Amino acid sequence: MAHSSTPLMVLHDTLTSFGAHGPAVHVEHGLTFLQHGSLDFECGERIRVEPGSVVLIPAGMPHRSLGGTDLRYWMVGFCSSC
C-alpha cells in the first residue's frame, strides 16, 4: 500500500506470484481478504495466509512479505488520520 492522503483505498487484484520484500510500515490500516492462493509474511511472527482468511495490519505495524503464489485478493486501506 502506498503512502497517501486518501482516507480510503480499495483494490482487487490477481497475481501469479508475489516475491519477498523488506520490512514496510504504513500510515494506513490494511485489511486483506484472500480469495485464492497462499501468502507467507511476517507481522510479529511468521504467518501463512490461506483462502478465506482476513488479515488486518494496523497502521504503524512493521511487516514484510515472504512470498506468495496464485493470489486473488481484495485489499482495503484506510487512514484514520488523513
Side-chain angles (χ1 to χ4, degrees):
M1 223 179 295
H3 293 288
S4 168
S5 62
T6 304
L8 180 66
M9 181 271 309
V10 178
L11 172 70
H12 181 246
D13 205 357
T14 302
L15 299 170
T16 303
S17 65
F18 187 75
H21 68 71
V25 177
H26 304 286
V27 297
E28 306 90 1
H29 302 284
L31 181 69
T32 302
F33 170 68
L34 186 64
Q35 288 180 290
H36 192 268
S38 64
L39 175 66
D40 293 315
F41 75 100
E42 287 182 347
C43 187
E45 62 184 72
R46 186 180 182 125
I47 298 169
R48 173 109 181 166
V49 183
E50 306 253 338
S53 297
V54 175
V55 177
L56 171 65
I57 299 178
M61 169 76 71
H63 61 284
R64 71 184 182 109
S65 168
L66 301 173
T69 58
D70 204 18
L71 301 171
R72 186 170 59 241
Y73 63 93
W74 284 90
M75 182 183 297
V76 176
F78 53 99
C79 180
S80 58
S81 64
C82 293

